[in-house]
Amino acid sequence: MKVIAALTLLCGASAFAPSSVAPRSTALNMAAIDEAFGISIETGNKCPPLGRRILEDAKPEAISWFQNAEIKHGRVAMIATIGFMVQKSGVHFPLYLGPTGSNCFHPASDAAWLLSSTTGTTFSDIANASPLDAIGMVPMAGWVQILFAAGAFEATAYHRQYNVGGRIPGDYGYDPLGFTKREGGFESDELKSLRMKEIKNGRVAMMTMAAWVSNEMIPGALPVWHP
């Protein structure tokens, strides 16, 4: 009986003993995160603390998902910085070569085309507006078109990245300039360098847009140069 009682106590105690597998698994996962593409010298070649906390139990598929999300947001932010500066500087491109009033440096026009007949908004009005005001002037029909186009791109990207598979994060099969067709493909040193530059520029663009929009909404919120 004494032996049985002792074994029972040992077995019961072992149920509350800390597992030695979990820490090792977490350590291996942290090492994999630190080796993920996109980790660079700016953070000591390690994932930042907040990222490590979020990804500590993440599977490789989840890490790939976050990499895709960062690259997508970075690309959108880089385009947004160009659009923001162009709108803020008063530079506007001709639209359909018609009398829209949004010709370069000359947004005024007596024959401006209507953007919305319901609100009476013209393309000239958009050309003269600040970046955030211009967004608010886009009619609902315009937003439907924008969301439809964005949704089509997103659906195509999702299909190629996850359904077809076999692609690195950020590769959606669209390469009209042939960057990925060079010798070595994505594993070439030149392309790895370009991919890292894209990620870093995207990060800067995301922070830039956050700062510019903050200053646009709260003047003086960003005490450095801005357009």
Side-chain angles (χ1 to χ4, degrees):
M1 288 295 293
K2 291 182 178 180
V3 174
I4 295 175
L7 289 174
T8 303
L9 289 173
L10 287 174
C11 292
S14 65
F16 297 95
S19 173
S20 59
V21 176
R24 177 182 170 134
S25 176
T26 301
L28 290 174
N29 199 42
M30 289 295 100
I33 292 173
D34 289 339
E35 294 174 359
F37 193 85
I39 304 298
S40 59
I41 190 64
E42 287 81 5
T43 55
N45 291 319
K46 291 185 177 181
C47 184
L50 179 59
R52 294 175 72 87
R53 178 64 177 170
I54 295 173
L55 299 173
E56 62 180 358
D57 296 322
K59 297 180 179 179
E61 295 81 6
I63 296 175
S64 177
W65 186 92
F66 277 104
Q67 287 177 310
N68 269 299
E70 180 185 35
I71 292 172
K72 284 183 182 179
H73 283 85
R75 289 171 178 171
V76 171
M78 286 188 281
I79 297 173
T81 55
I82 297 173
F84 193 100
M85 287 191 293
V86 166
Q87 182 74 18
K88 192 74 173 178
S89 302
V91 180
H92 306 283
F93 302 100
L95 181 65
Y96 307 129
L97 302 179
T100 66
S102 57
N103 296 312
C104 297
F105 300 105
H106 298 288
S109 173
D110 294 331
W113 283 354
L114 281 172
L115 177 66
S116 172
S117 59
T118 304
T119 62
T121 303
T122 67
F123 284 98
S124 294
D125 296 330
I126 295 288
N128 285 308
S130 66
L132 295 188
D133 289 339
I135 293 175
M137 295 166 69
V138 177
M140 182 57 65
W143 283 114
V144 170
Q145 295 176 57
I146 292 171
L147 292 175
F148 180 81
F153 279 113
E154 182 65 21
T156 302
Y158 183 91
H159 172 70
R160 292 178 177 176
Q161 182 71 215
Y162 298 104
N163 293 340
V164 177
R167 298 182 182 274
I168 64 170
D171 174 27
Y172 307 116
Y174 181 72
D175 182 25
L177 298 180
F179 283 104
T180 61
K181 296 178 177 63
R182 64 192 65 194
E183 185 178 356
F186 285 105
E187 296 304 317
S188 66
D189 293 337
E190 184 180 8
L191 200 55
K192 283 183 177 180
S193 176
L194 290 174
R195 288 170 57 204
M196 183 63 78
K197 289 175 182 177
E198 179 192 31
I199 291 173
K200 290 183 178 182
N201 285 316
R203 291 168 179 169
V204 172
M206 286 188 281
M207 292 188 291
T208 299
M209 283 310 302
W212 284 356
V213 171
S214 297
N215 191 80
E216 193 77 8
M217 298 183 71
I218 309 173
L222 182 67
V224 294
W225 180 89
H226 54 84

